[in-house]
Amino acid sequence: MNILLNNFSTNFNTSPFQSIKNEDYKPAILKLIEDTKLEIEAIVNNTETPTFENTIEVLEFSGQQLDRVTSIFFNLNSAETNDELQKIAQDISPILTEFGNDITLNEALFKKVKHVYDNKDRFNLNTEQSTLLDKKYKSFSRNGANLSEDKKQQLRAIDKQLASLKLKFGENILAETNAFEMLITNEVDLSGLPEGAIEAAKQLAESKNKDGWLITLDYPSYIPFMTYADNRALRKKLAIAFGAKGFKNDKLDNQQHVLDIARLRFERANLLGYNTHAHFVLEERMAQTPEKVNSFLQDLLVKAKPAALREFAQLEQFAKELDNIDQLEKWDSAYYSEKLKQKLFNLDDEQLKPYFKLENVIDGAFQVANKLFGLQFKKIDTIDKYHEDVMTYEVLDENNQLVSIFYADFFPRAGKRNGAWMTSYKPQFIKDGINQRPHISNVCNFTKPTKSKPSLLTFNEVTTLFHEFGHGLHGMLANTTYPSLSGTSVFWDFVELPSQVLENWCYEREALELFAKHYETGEIIPMDLVQKIKESATFQEGMQTLRQLSFGLLDMSWHGVNPSDITNVKQHENKTFENTNLYPDVKENCMSTAFAHIFQGGYSSGYYSYKWAEVLDADAFDYFKEKGIFNKDVATKFKDNVLSKGGTDNPMVLYKRFRGQEPKPEALLKRAGLIK
Ligand SMILES: [Zn+2]
């Protein structure tokens, strides 16, 4: 029997990891797709008049076991994979994509959904129900369901062209990255580089049967060189090569691809009835309109620019004093910034690590959650794990009621991908009067303990743990009826609020006293060290802000307008960067031709959300600071209006209910030291 085909009869209905065999996945997923198709056919074939209940709700609750099995599969393919799982993933991913397309292109199903949507006033829906209806309807309409047959074909043709252009764009960048090598044969040219970077460069050269040290455009090679190498001419050479990707008028050039992608996105949006691509994207974002995004970016620019200019002047003077540099160039930026930072703060990871033993930090995160939301974390050993390193917890509320199951998987190993993330093995939802509690997981890659030393985290790892734990709380405290609106299923520019806001506790004395204790002496972290952490965290924040804003503005300049007037990529860029440039332009370089985030990945009309999320988290935390960082009233408001509500309402509405007003950038500017 295939264990994946039945509802799991495990403790807490958890995933039966130990009993799943790799060969179970594909047949189970194929069978569950067929089952889900039958569920959908039943909606289509229902002869009653379509209602919210018999159409939208049934659609929402269809395919539940399929969702559980695919989440187990894809979560493990990230956290504990092997060749076999990867092969299965390649097999089933296209099948699942096709199945998803079959649903959004199902005209008979859309007719039913549209009927409910057009008659929504008759159904007396609550907010969560109208949000769900809207979401279901748009999943069809935004894919062209309302278009005539010939326009539908136009849309498919555009989608096909876009897919191949994006692919080509990415392939060119990759080919450019791989084509460049800088071989260093004179040891003097390595001056300034840390030992680790030299070692890596040596190994890279050896792997290619070369004598010397090899530097490439890959980040792990590029970043240390730009940050530490004393040889200015080589930094210049490397920086120009990096910035010239896709901009050499050769066969790997991306200029025409940029123009074509922008034009096709614009045409696609028009076809679907939107003014621009940005209007199309932002309809499903907290920011809602390009006007709002542009005014957000411009407002921050005006407020951050004076600080950026001050910081730049300080850096210029520092470089002048140190090396008699007359004109600071782009390739000097990371190098002198790092030197200045060292001079000002002299803070390194090794000083801090003894205060951040992993067990203490985990306990600290749990204590913060307890003080804010009354949560208790109890270790349990009666549920399955997919690896012995995984720690499992039962999460209870103040009345000892189950809130969630929590998996914490913190150490690197061969089958785990890099980075840190939150995910879930079972969603939260309410059905047949039962509130199904979620199963949430945090996966990170922290330093493992050794025989003689426990796992000691860098400060960056501490904030990462709190960040993912914040996403985790968003999942754990979810309390909605429908699974697709639950927990972190919110608009994109809202999802980082719970995670980023939680990072703030890592900088507060009251919170650090709970857990930042020296692993040998038990001494609490000295406050002057904490002050230094805070100050160094906002080092050159004005310049950083300007840089982020320039990317956001560039993104909007391609997607928030009719791009057919743009004929020269570089000229367009220079015009867009006029107000954000600190360094002289490098004529061989172009940003757009290698801006994979927006031209290849999913960030088009979305780059602003990095800053947007920071504004949100600073503004939210400001409320806590005002009333006390463990103030129960504020915490409860945050839980009741944000964490538990998922995507059941417009995020701006949720936020205003918590905060009493729209978010303002002042708290961020103050936290970043840009205004007093
Ligand atoms: Zn995040």
Side-chain angles (χ1 to χ4, degrees), residues 295-324:
S295 69
F296 167 80
L297 295 170
Q298 291 298 347
D299 179 39
L300 263 181
L301 176 58
V302 170
K303 286 169 175 157
K305 197 165 177 180
L309 292 173
R310 276 199 306 276
E311 289 162 7
F312 188 70
Q314 183 193 29
L315 191 66
E316 265 183 320
Q317 202 196 340
F318 177 71
K320 175 97 189 148
E321 281 164 14
L322 203 67
D323 289 333
N324 207 16

Side-chain angles (χ1 to χ4, degrees), residues 546-607:
L546 218 60
R547 195 176 133 86
Q548 289 270 309
L549 293 176
S550 73
F551 296 165
L553 288 165
L554 181 64
D555 176 18
M556 293 307 289
S557 80
W558 283 113
H559 297 117
V561 296
N562 177 351
S564 60
D565 301 337
I566 309 169
T567 49
N568 184 311
V569 177
K570 177 74 175 171
Q571 267 174 25
H572 171 70
E573 242 183 55
N574 283 354
K575 214 174 92 212
T576 312
F577 287 155
E578 246 166 26
N579 280 321
T580 51
N581 256 348
L582 294 170
Y583 296 90
D585 177 48
V586 181
K587 66 175 190 323
E588 301 94 324
N589 286 179
C590 183
M591 168 91 199
S592 300
T593 53
F595 201 174
H597 258 73
I598 65 165
F599 288 111
Q600 185 195 356
Y603 273 75
S604 60
S605 313
Y607 206 91

